[in-house]
Amino acid sequence: MMRTPAGHQVYAMAAEYPSAAALYEAAKRVRDAGFRRWDVYSPFPIHGMDDAMGLGKSWLSGWVLFGGVSGLLTAALVVVGSLSARCAR
Amino acid sequence: MDAAPAAPETIEEAERQIARGPLVLNRRNFSWLTERISAVVEQPAPRWWWVAFTITASAATFGLFCLGYQISTGVGTWGLNHPVGWAWDITNFVFWIGIGHAGTLISAILFLLRQKWRTSINRSAEAMTLFAVTCAAIFPGVHVGRVWMAWYLAPFPNNWGIWQNFRSPLMWDVFAVSTYFTVSVLFWYTGIVPDLATLRDRASTKIRKFLFGIFALGWRGSNRHWRHYEMAYLLLAGLSTPLVLSVHSIVSFDFATSVLPTWHTTIFPPYFVAGAIFGGFAMVLTLLLPCRAMFKLYDVITPQHIDKMAKIILLTGSFVGYAYTMEFFIAWYSGNSYERFAFWNRVFGPYWWYWWVGMLFCNVLSPQLFWFRWCRYNVYVVYFVCMCVNAGMWFERFIIIVGGLHRDFIPSSWGLFIPTWVDIWTYIGTLGIFTSLFLLFVRFLPMIAMSEIKTAVPEADVHLVTTPGGKERTR
């Protein structure tokens, strides 16, 4: 159990780096050391950081595909349905 | 005979040969970019902003009054009559939608093409798109006359048994434009979230902290979020790209699916899309050149950016010029007497001025100045050409619409269109709405995408290694 000089339990650690390149190298080391609950913060998206952190592809694209397909089907149903012959009442 | 140029000896030499200039001049660092771009929002508005806003807001208010007058009194307040049923209203609609497309092209298409130079202009261009589409959407709404029945355009089950005519391009317009607006808003907002977070963290007043805080959605710059952000950005860019092509093609179908000479032609979709990008880029420069001067953003919106935009204007202007030539040729080649007359009438008829000044000089000839490097690098020449193109594109739409309608098949039906003050001031009002919204955007929101432009400087490259002699790129 790590404790601060004042005796408190260490909750988390933060490190600041002077450049995107240094941050990238550090991230790879943290990833390789096996840490799970960690993150990298930057004011802009750093190219290659997702791999350096060992993160996979974002799941967003799957949901958007689902949304697109369902939207297409809905629209097609509305258009074809309203233009099709159907019972009077 | 000269020998062929030798291949470069090393990769470094090859890269130096194809190296483009820096996208941010004077080797500005991240901190400078944040400070300079945030300063526009954080400092009080300069006097010129108030002067401009007063003028544009007055025009906008009077324009809204004209709209209210037209809606309450009737479409007769416009100059529309037989045979010209569409004139300034639809000209304005097509004009504004076209302008919007340049913003989406810069944001989405240049993103997919990995053109990093878009990063200093995309935020403003996207905002311009939103405001342009807002102005555009006014016209289909009010030109129906009975605006309170505009809900008939929405497809939902109702007890009147009313469904829309999905076979009509005017209906397609409703869906195309509303989709375009929705996607553009989402794209713009997604992109601006990290910059709103930056402003939130720098906020000095409680109101700013609260408002920026709400709209920044808790953004912290975490890479786990950047991952989803980048995917969302890519997806939205991918969705917006076909919209640029499809929306203006649909708008062109308003004319192309008719039977009128000069309207009923398959050239319209690519002609309109090219014209939209052409006019839109001119409007982007019309807005950005003064802003960059007033806010001293020369290091960020560099001469290289203006040069590239001028080249796009030249390219699309040449497409438009080619399309004009083809229209005339095909009209003659077709042998169709109505088609031939319609184009003769465009050049020599009562609206000849619109062709010679608007289409020929402004659209075809003025952008040809951009073949010359000196012209592309001189902001005054660029601004002059952009103003010409802005005007020329409005004249082009007018001559297509009114020129096609006022003299069609039967000479006894021929007539002239003369605008009323309501027509004119409504249009000036939309210019006021557009510019007012853009001025508000520039004042309260970051007009340059801070997070994106930081990715365009060399320091953002993770493979950059600083050596004692300077910066080198490693493989």
Side-chain angles (χ1 to χ4, degrees):
Chain A
M1 175 79 59
M2 291 180 69
R3 291 204 174 266
T4 67
H8 298 114
Q9 183 182 340
V10 169
Y11 173 77
M13 287 178 136
E16 202 174 312
Y17 294 88
S19 69
L23 184 55
Y24 177 71
E25 295 301 326
K28 285 198 281 196
R29 303 236 187 114
V30 174
R31 171 198 66 191
D32 294 337
F35 284 93
R36 290 255 180 259
R37 290 163 55 189
W38 65 291
D39 207 346
V40 170
Y41 297 87
S42 55
F44 58 89
I46 297 178
H47 189 61
M49 187 56 75
D50 295 342
D51 284 333
M53 288 180 70
L55 301 172
K57 189 170 160 244
S58 162
W59 40 255
L60 191 60
S61 50
W63 284 102
V64 172
L65 179 64
F66 168 72
V69 170
S70 62
L72 176 62
L73 283 175
T74 311
L77 275 172
V78 168
V79 173
V80 173
S82 66
L83 287 172
S84 303
R86 52 190 180 278
C87 307
R89 279 260 158 229
Chain B
M1 193 168 77
D2 289 334
E9 287 288 317
T10 60
I11 294 176
E12 283 89 352
E13 200 189 315
E15 284 189 346
R16 256 198 302 281
Q17 282 182 8
I18 60 169
R20 299 179 179 107
L23 291 174
V24 175
L25 298 179
N26 291 321
R27 306 178 71 119
R28 301 294 184 188
N29 60 14
F30 298 138
S31 169
W32 184 93
L33 287 168
T34 307
E35 291 292 328
R36 179 50 69 95
I37 297 169
S38 304
V40 176
V41 178
E42 290 166 351
Q43 281 163 15
R47 162 129 24 92
W48 68 264
W49 187 93
W50 282 106
V51 172
F53 188 70
T54 310
I55 298 172
T56 60
S58 311
T61 312
F62 192 64
L64 288 172
F65 161 74
C66 288
L67 281 171
Y69 174 58
Q70 180 259 322
I71 293 172
S72 58
T73 309
V75 181
T77 53
W78 288 342
L80 302 182
N81 213 327
H82 292 301
V84 179
W86 278 354
W88 283 55
D89 49 350
I90 301 302
T91 304
N92 297 340
F93 166 63
V94 182
F95 174 76
W96 284 120
I97 290 274
I99 283 180
H101 284 321
T104 315
L105 185 138
I106 292 173
S107 278
I109 297 182
L110 291 182
F111 174 75
L112 294 178
L113 295 175
R114 306 195 194 178
Q115 299 297 303
K116 289 209 135 124
W117 60 272
R118 62 181 270 287
T119 49
S120 60
I121 55 175
N122 66 330
R123 187 70 65 242
S124 307
E126 281 162 45
M128 181 197 80
T129 293
L130 296 179
F131 307 141
V133 176
T134 307
C135 290
I138 294 172
F139 290 101
V142 303
H143 92 307
V144 295
R146 289 177 295 178
V147 178
W148 50 93
M149 294 171 82
W151 64 270
Y152 274 45
L153 292 168
F156 61 91
N158 55 63
N159 63 333
W160 295 271
I162 286 179
W163 285 101
Q164 289 64 38
N165 181 7
F166 291 114
R167 297 185 180 109
S168 164
L170 282 74
M171 195 61 213
W172 305 339
D173 264 346
V174 171
F175 286 98
V177 175
S178 47
T179 306
Y180 185 51
F181 184 69
T182 310
V183 174
S184 297
V185 170
L186 289 173
F187 195 16
W188 174 81
Y189 184 56
T190 305
I192 215 175
V193 163
D195 293 344
L196 293 178
T198 303
L199 288 167
R200 167 201 66 198
D201 295 338
R202 293 166 56 97
S204 51
T205 71
K206 273 204 161 11
I207 292 212
R208 277 176 186 255
K209 202 164 189 76
F210 176 72
L211 286 172
F212 282 128
I214 295 272
F215 289 108
L217 306 177
W219 183 266
R220 298 184 287 289
S222 147
N223 192 60
R224 290 175 192 271
H225 298 166
W226 277 121
R227 189 169 128 249
H228 297 309
Y229 169 95
E230 290 207 284
M231 178 58 80
Y233 204 90
L234 179 68
L235 291 168
L236 284 163
L239 284 171
S240 300
T241 299
L243 280 174
V244 170
L245 302 168
S246 65
V247 171
H248 224 58
S249 298
I250 302 285
V251 169
S252 79
F253 287 164
D254 289 344
F255 313 104
T257 56
S258 73
V259 297
L260 231 45
T262 76
W263 281 20
H264 185 52
T265 166
T266 55
I267 204 177
F268 267 7
Y271 170 168
F272 269 53
V273 173
I277 297 165
F278 179 47
F281 265 83
M283 187 58 90
V284 169
L285 280 170
T286 305
L287 293 171
L288 283 184
L289 287 178
C291 282
R292 106 191 241 271
M294 300 300 187
F295 294 121
K296 309 277 185 286
L297 293 167
Y298 305 107
D299 283 345
V300 180
I301 303 175
T302 67
Q304 197 196 145
H305 290 84
I306 299 171
D307 171 61
K308 289 180 156 67
M309 286 195 270
K311 285 178 180 168
I312 293 182
I313 290 177
L314 172 61
L315 175 72
T316 48
S318 303
F319 285 161
V320 166
Y322 171 76
Y324 291 172
T325 313
M326 272 300 120
E327 278 193 301
F328 281 105
F329 171 69
I330 294 292
W332 169 79
Y333 187 67
S334 72
N336 179 318
S337 58
Y338 300 111
E339 196 78 18
R340 284 181 173 184
F341 170 74
F343 281 95
W344 180 94
N345 185 53
R346 179 177 286 187
V347 180
F348 298 112
Y351 294 110
W352 62 271
W353 195 84
Y354 291 83
W355 158 257
W356 290 99
V357 176
M359 291 170 85
L360 185 61
F361 173 74
C362 289
N363 287 349
V364 179
L365 296 180
S366 72
Q368 301 299 316
L369 284 173
F370 287 154
W371 284 106
F372 305 106
R373 192 172 190 278
W374 176 83
C375 290
R376 297 195 302 270
Y377 277 85
N378 181 322
V379 287
Y380 297 103
V381 175
V382 170
Y383 205 73
F384 167 73
V385 172
C386 289
M387 286 310 217
C388 285
V389 173
N390 284 333
M393 286 313 292
W394 192 92
F395 289 138
E396 178 204 281
R397 272 59 170 265
F398 181 87
I399 204 63
I400 289 174
I401 295 173
V402 175
L405 285 169
H406 90 286
R407 284 184 176 183
D408 59 13
F409 300 101
I410 304 179
S412 59
S413 304
W414 289 358
L416 276 182
F417 167 78
I418 296 154
T420 62
W421 65 271
V422 184
D423 276 310
I424 299 172
W425 280 100
T426 306
Y427 176 60
I428 296 177
T430 58
L431 283 169
I433 294 172
F434 175 74
T435 335
S436 300
L437 287 172
F438 191 79
L439 284 169
L440 286 169
F441 161 74
V442 158
R443 169 72 188 93
F444 291 111
L445 291 173
M447 65 175 277
I448 292 183
M450 288 186 266
S451 57
E452 291 194 53
I453 195 159
K454 287 170 188 170
T455 63
V457 298
E459 286 78 22
D461 186 356
V462 295
H463 298 296
L464 189 77
V465 168
T466 312
T467 65
K471 294 190 168 112
E472 309 257 352
R473 173 119 190 256
T474 61
R475 223 114 279 109

